[in-house]
Amino acid sequence: MPTNDFELWGSLRSAEMDFFRACWEFFSCSTDKQLRIRQTLKSPSDRTTVLRILLYLKVEEYLSFFNELVDLASVGHSDIELVREVLLSLPKEFLLANFEKSA
């Protein structure tokens, strides 16, 4: 266990690098990334991770999850701010054209 600020920072940096490495492996090796993301959006215990990785995809890649994201944004839960961040990262024109239909 880290005992000083330098070791704590090193541990945090290492964990972040592990996260990015795992993201890269998922993005490059998953046989059905869209299905896995769609399934994990439904799982409260997995939702934080999947919402964070959506922000690393191209917008075109996560537009297909728009309805699920709007559903998640309509109820209170611990990931609500992250859901809103993902939604607000979409193009404004797309949000204006599609939000009302989805809600």
Side-chain angles (χ1 to χ4, degrees):
M1 172 153 211
T3 58
N4 61 48
D5 286 347
F6 182 77
E7 289 177 358
L8 288 166
W9 178 257
S11 177
L12 177 61
R13 186 173 182 279
S14 177
E16 182 182 41
M17 290 175 68
D18 289 344
F19 172 76
F20 286 120
R21 189 175 302 109
C23 285
W24 181 84
E25 288 175 7
F26 174 73
F27 292 146
S28 61
C29 300
S30 176
T31 57
D32 198 342
K33 179 174 47 178
Q34 296 280 325
L35 177 62
R36 176 57 49 206
I37 290 171
R38 185 162 273 107
Q39 290 172 335
T40 55
L41 280 170
K42 297 175 187 175
S43 170
S45 63
D46 292 327
R47 193 176 297 137
T48 300
T49 303
V50 75
L51 289 167
R52 289 189 194 287
I53 69 165
L54 283 178
L55 293 169
Y56 294 106
L57 295 174
K58 294 177 185 169
V59 170
E60 301 80 31
E61 291 183 280
Y62 64 91
L63 282 177
S64 66
F65 307 113
F66 182 70
N67 290 332
E68 289 92 339
L69 293 167
V70 171
D71 286 344
L72 288 171
S74 68
V75 295
H77 52 78
S78 61
D79 295 316
I80 191 70
E81 289 299 319
L82 193 50
V83 170
R84 290 176 180 164
E85 182 181 347
V86 173
L87 281 169
L88 291 173
S89 70
L90 294 170
K92 184 177 181 178
E93 301 78 26
F94 177 85
L95 288 173
L96 292 173
N98 292 283
F99 192 80
E100 192 171 319
K101 287 186 278 185
S102 184

